[in-house]
Amino acid sequence: MERLRSSPLHANISTALDKHLETIHVVQARRKDEIVSASSRQRHGPPRCQDERVVLALAVALRALCLATRKVRTELWCAFQMTLPK
């Protein structure tokens, strides 16, 4: 889009994209933690409290990803609107 406009986009757009990528990495890490927790539970029995914390951390990360996705979609829509010819 920057090439189409021949000028850089607003700094908020790149910040939103960076935040979105960061939240994706956090969700991936929490999901890996959940998988490890689930596999260890099958081997050693049910330590329920730890499992609930892992699942809760994943839910919080997914909520942050949802919010970041909404924001980045809005930012990209604005960038697209600025890119269109007048």
Side-chain angles (χ1 to χ4, degrees), residues 2-71:
E2 289 176 337
R3 289 184 196 147
L4 292 173
R5 289 186 64 211
S6 301
S7 65
L9 295 171
H10 196 273
N12 287 349
I13 295 169
S14 61
T15 303
L17 287 169
D18 291 340
K19 178 71 173 169
H20 188 249
L21 183 61
E22 179 184 323
T23 56
I24 288 171
H25 290 303
V26 170
V27 168
Q28 288 175 337
R30 297 299 175 256
R31 179 67 176 128
K32 286 178 186 176
D33 293 344
E34 183 194 23
I35 291 170
V36 167
S37 176
S39 67
S40 68
R41 182 181 62 212
Q42 289 177 347
R43 293 184 200 144
H44 303 297
R48 291 289 291 165
C49 186
Q50 183 67 20
D51 290 342
E52 291 173 1
R53 285 189 212 142
V54 171
V55 172
L56 183 60
L58 178 61
V60 169
L62 284 172
R63 183 175 190 276
L65 179 61
C66 180
L67 295 173
T69 301
R70 281 189 215 152
K71 182 169 181 157

Side-chain angles (χ1 to χ4, degrees), residues 66-83:
C66 180
L67 295 173
T69 301
R70 281 189 215 152
K71 182 169 181 157
V72 81
R73 284 177 59 196
T74 302
E75 297 283 344
L76 288 174
W77 182 84
C78 292
F80 175 68
Q81 294 300 316
M82 291 189 301
T83 304

